[in-house]
Amino acid sequence: MSELDKRISLPTSRARVSEAAEQRRTASLRVQRLRENMLAYGFLAPSLLLFAVFLFYPMFKSVYLSLHSTDPTGQIAAFVGLDNFKAVFQSGLFFQGMKVTLLFVLLTVPTGIFAALVLAALTHNRFKGMRMFQFVFSLPVVLSVGSSAVIWKFLFHPTLGMLNYLLGKAGIEPIPWLTSPDWALFSISIMTIWMNLGFNYIIISSGLQGIPDEIYESAKIDGAGALLTFRKISMPLLSPTLFFVTVVSMIGAFQSFGQINILTRGGPMDSTNVFVYSIYQEAFINFRFGTGSAQALILFAVIMLLTLIQFKWVERKVHYQ
């Protein structure tokens, strides 16, 4: 008989019945928890399967290929350890590709976010006709990279393009948009800013609409002007949205490929040969899958490092309500 039963003077048979009921209740809870876990994993199974096929398997395959040399058919030839990584750094592929990529990121990310912020601020009112402008500014988000690249390929055409036609009307010499090493990356950047403008505009505009109107009304009563209100109220409250757009835009800029493949194919004179395009060339044109996989893993490490830096230091400037 337990000490508790002695204290409250319960009969022995009654205590045994209570213990049996407690054991049955514990077993029932375990069965119920097991069923809930199985149901949760059943709902997650399709997503886990997609991640396994399209994310985890290619990642592990890249790690495997980066440690081997391959023949022209893509078959494993020999284990080479870290030689592919050494070859990437010694050949200058990393530094050349990263130099072009960083310049491309600097040209596209700040400019794209600033343009979207200005447009979102200008259309953040209830004047008549603003819906039309909001629709037009959001339109690029529905276009694919291929469609956008084809449109801009016609605009950049040296003799038939609309841009050089307008420059000619203004008395300005035609610009070799895609054929000059000095202009090619700049031209690709213009097209990329326009292509990403729809997404950035929608996100920033949604962030502005989430700021309560009462705060603006209080600032207006206190005599704050439009610019002061935007700088002291809108920008701090919009900082979480801007931080999100900055992180996503930087990752997207490092991964840009489609527009470069369609418009310039890395040229002229490697002026638009960003790191992702050099991976494509190494793996699917030169058929050196080992070196290409090593480049892909290096790019993954660079993007992850930059993202961690943004979350470590840049996020401190973000004002969460």
Side-chain angles (χ1 to χ4, degrees):
M1 182 177 294
S2 66
E3 189 65 26
L4 179 62
D5 293 339
K6 291 178 180 178
R7 290 181 180 178
I8 61 177
S9 302
L10 286 177
T12 305
S13 58
R14 189 174 176 183
R16 288 177 180 172
V17 171
S18 177
E19 290 178 1
E22 184 66 25
Q23 289 176 356
R24 285 196 298 273
R25 182 173 176 275
T26 304
S28 176
L29 287 175
R30 287 178 181 172
V31 172
Q32 185 178 357
R33 191 174 303 164
L34 180 62
R35 287 177 179 173
E36 289 177 352
N37 289 337
M38 291 180 64
L39 183 63
Y41 283 116
F43 282 118
L44 288 174
S47 300
L48 292 176
L49 181 62
L50 289 175
F51 273 112
V53 173
F54 295 107
L55 182 64
F56 298 130
Y57 174 73
M59 183 176 291
F60 289 125
K61 187 71 174 180
S62 297
V63 174
Y64 177 73
L65 287 174
S66 68
L67 301 175
H68 295 78
S69 63
T70 58
D71 60 19
T73 62
Q75 301 299 318
I76 298 297
F79 177 77
V80 295
L82 299 177
D83 288 351
N84 286 327
F85 293 92
K86 294 178 183 176
V88 171
F89 289 107
Q90 291 174 353
S91 66
L93 284 174
F94 172 76
F95 297 105
Q96 174 61 25
M98 199 51 65
K99 176 185 173 184
V100 177
T101 304
L102 289 175
L103 184 57
F104 178 73
V105 171
L106 288 175
L107 286 172
T108 56
V109 174
T111 312
I113 294 175
F114 179 75
L117 178 63
V118 171
L119 294 177
L122 292 176
T123 56
H124 181 59
N125 55 57
R126 295 175 183 173
F127 293 156
K128 190 175 181 181
M130 281 301 151
R131 293 283 184 187
M132 180 66 183
F133 287 102
Q134 291 173 352
F135 172 74
V136 171
F137 296 150
S138 307
L139 199 57
V141 77
V142 303
L143 295 176
S144 65
V145 178
S147 302
S148 302
V150 170
I151 292 172
W152 281 88
K153 195 167 189 176
F154 283 111
L155 293 175
F156 285 139
H157 196 278
T159 56
L160 304 176
M162 180 63 71
L163 296 179
N164 278 346
Y165 172 77
L166 295 175
L167 290 177
K169 287 292 184 182
I172 302 174
E173 291 292 324
I175 294 176
W177 297 102
L178 299 175
T179 55
S180 168
D182 298 328
W183 280 95
L185 188 64
F186 183 69
S187 305
I188 295 285
S189 301
I190 293 174
M191 179 260 166
T192 304
I193 291 170
W194 176 83
M195 186 178 67
N196 296 332
L197 184 63
F199 174 78
N200 292 341
Y201 172 78
I202 290 173
I203 299 297
I204 294 175
S205 183
S206 301
L208 282 174
Q209 291 176 5
I211 300 174
D213 292 337
E214 292 80 7
I215 299 179
Y216 289 120
E217 291 171 1
S218 300
K220 191 174 181 180
I221 293 172
D222 292 338
L227 289 178
L228 186 63
T229 303
F230 183 78
R231 188 163 60 89
K232 294 291 185 180
I233 295 178
S234 299
M235 286 300 291
L237 296 179
L238 197 61
S239 57
T241 306
L242 293 176
F243 178 69
F244 168 76
V245 172
T246 303
V247 173
V248 173
S249 298
M250 285 195 66
I251 294 174
F254 270 95
Q255 296 175 341
S256 295
F257 171 77
Q259 64 269 44
I260 294 167
N261 185 41
I262 293 173
L263 293 176
T264 60
R265 295 185 179 275
M269 298 175 62
D270 289 337
S271 59
T272 60
N273 192 12
V274 294
F275 204 71
V276 171
Y277 194 78
S278 68
I279 294 173
Y280 167 75
Q281 283 184 313
E282 196 69 9
F284 299 105
I285 295 178
N286 301 327
F287 297 105
R288 290 196 285 261
F289 293 97
T291 313
S293 298
Q295 287 182 271
L297 292 176
I298 292 171
L299 179 63
F300 170 75
V302 170
I303 293 175
M304 187 172 67
L305 179 63
L306 288 175
T307 305
L308 290 176
I309 289 173
Q310 290 179 82
F311 274 93
K312 180 71 176 177
W313 282 285
V314 181
E315 196 182 20
R316 293 178 181 175
K317 306 291 184 182
V318 176
H319 177 81
Y320 292 105
Q321 295 186 55

